[in-house]
């Protein structure tokens, strides 16, 4: 009996292994969420300086040190520079052991680190429960990874990196060559429709108000979801994300937690709705169609 057969025969072990994998993956996701936007900003700055040099500008800032990557240098405390050791990097447990503070200087460590780890573990476990051991579960976990990263990056910086949305769009199409989630035809139509629907809303809103209601990253994220889940999931994604996003925004404004003129990132709501449709999409669509028929 190989490992895959064992996990299929022992669902409890499958769920436990998925939870552990989710915790470890969530720990790395914290690095991606923190570092990827800064890597992108460093690249944009370098490109701008290169352009100015080509234009003959001489009074330019000094070149920045080599930007870090997702792997190097080692993680350090931003307050004191204390290098994070292996025992301080165990998902969730290290944060609890350190009582949410740096071992070197006692500076507070954000509770978001264990939250991301626990969230990823919960999503991976749900994917294993829903799809069982096999390619569909592995694909669902990969999509969950991307959605968590995109949601938190958009919350922090209000943009959705092409470095995630575009590779995952192509990965969704390739995965559905074998009809993993939907047929390839549904996936291709879903990718095109996902982009065009939000692009059309953006153009209409801008023509009417003169303002930009959303960013191009939102178009690409919905196209990515369409490539994975097919065009049939898009109405559910749009409806769920719009309702929850509007309710959250209005609540925050009413409570004085958000200024009306400040934009609210839409990516986290699209990501959350996309994950819901990944796991419960067929049931949601059947219930919705039954409600319409009634």
């Amino acid at each position: 009996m190989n490992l895959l057969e064992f996990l299929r025969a022992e669902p409890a072990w499958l769920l436990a292994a998925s939870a552990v994998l989710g915790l470890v993956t969530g720990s790395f996701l914290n690095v991606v969420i923190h570092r990827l936007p800064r890597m992108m900003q460093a690249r944009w700055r370098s490109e701008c300086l290169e352009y100015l040099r080509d234009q003959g500008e001489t009074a330019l800032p000094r070149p920045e040190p080599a930007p870090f990557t997702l792997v190097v240098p080692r993680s350090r405390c931003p307050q004191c520079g204390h290098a994070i050791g292996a025992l301080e990097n165990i998902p969730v447990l290290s944060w609890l052991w350190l009582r949410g503070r740096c071992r070197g200087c006692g500076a507070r460590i954000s509770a978001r680190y264990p939250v991301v780890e626990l969230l990823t573990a919960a999503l991976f476990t749900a994917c294993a429960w829903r799809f069982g051991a096999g390619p569909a579960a592995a694909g669902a976990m990969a999509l969950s990874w991307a959605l968590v990263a995109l949601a938190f990056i958009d919350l922090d910086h209000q943009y959705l990196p092409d470095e995630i949305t575009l590779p995952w769009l192509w990965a969704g199409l390739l995965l559905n060559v074998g009809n993993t989630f939907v047929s390839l035809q549904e996936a291709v139509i879903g990718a095109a429709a996902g982009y065009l629907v939000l692009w059309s809303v953006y153009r209409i809103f801008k023509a009417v108000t003169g303002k930009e209601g959303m960013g191009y990253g939102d178009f690409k994220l919905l196209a990515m979801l369409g490539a994975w889940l097919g065009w049939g999931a898009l109405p559910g994604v749009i409806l769920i994300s719009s309702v929850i996003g509007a309710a959250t925004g209005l609540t925050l404004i009413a409570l004085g937690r958000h200024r009306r003129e400040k934009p609210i990132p839409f990516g986290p709501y699209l990501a959350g709705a996309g994950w819901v449709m990944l796991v419960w999409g067929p049931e949601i669509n059947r219930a919705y169609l039954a409600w319409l028929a009634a």
Side-chain angles (χ1 to χ4, degrees), residues 33-66:
I33 293 165
H34 174 74
R35 293 194 179 193
L36 181 58
R38 288 160 179 78
M39 292 164 55
M40 294 168 60
Q41 291 163 5
R43 187 182 74 242
W44 295 337
R45 179 178 174 82
S46 175
E47 291 171 352
C48 290
L49 291 175
E50 183 178 352
Y51 170 77
L52 291 174
R53 290 191 191 96
D54 291 342
Q55 299 303 308
E57 295 286 344
T58 55
L60 298 174
R62 294 180 179 179
E64 294 183 344

Side-chain angles (χ1 to χ4, degrees), residues 118-291:
L118 289 170
L119 173 63
T120 308
L123 298 184
F124 275 32
T125 304
C127 290
W129 166 79
R130 176 67 175 84
F131 296 104
M141 291 177 188
L143 180 58
S144 300
W145 185 98
L147 293 176
V148 171
L150 290 167
F152 281 96
I153 290 173
D154 201 24
L155 278 174
D156 289 343
H157 303 280
Q158 294 196 3
Y159 56 76
L160 297 161
D162 287 351
E163 285 81 348
I164 298 177
T165 54
L166 298 185
W168 257 260
L169 188 155
W170 289 109
L173 293 177
L174 289 173
L175 195 64
N176 283 321
V177 168
N179 299 330
T180 302
F181 295 109
V182 294
S183 69
L184 180 59
Q185 182 180 23
E186 290 179 272
V188 171
I189 295 173
Y195 189 93
L196 291 174
V197 165
L198 288 189
W199 178 84
S200 300
V201 173
Y202 165 86
R203 298 302 302 179
I204 293 170
F205 183 84
K206 188 173 183 180
V208 173
T209 66
K211 301 177 181 180
E212 295 185 353
M214 63 183 69
Y216 277 68
D218 297 318
F219 315 162
K220 297 170 189 175
L221 174 53
L222 191 58
M224 183 189 94
L225 291 171
W228 281 76
L229 309 178
W231 64 266
L234 295 181
V237 172
I238 295 170
L239 179 63
I240 294 171
S241 60
S242 299
V243 170
I244 296 178
T248 303
L250 291 173
T251 301
L252 290 175
I253 292 172
L255 295 176
R257 301 282 299 276
H258 193 91
R259 297 194 306 273
R260 186 183 299 272
E261 65 276 6
K262 185 178 179 181
I264 296 176
F266 192 42
Y269 304 106
L270 282 174
W275 190 87
V276 168
M277 293 300 294
L278 166 70
V279 178
W280 293 290
E283 292 82 357
I284 291 173
N285 282 340
R286 282 197 296 268
Y288 176 70
L289 292 174
W291 177 77

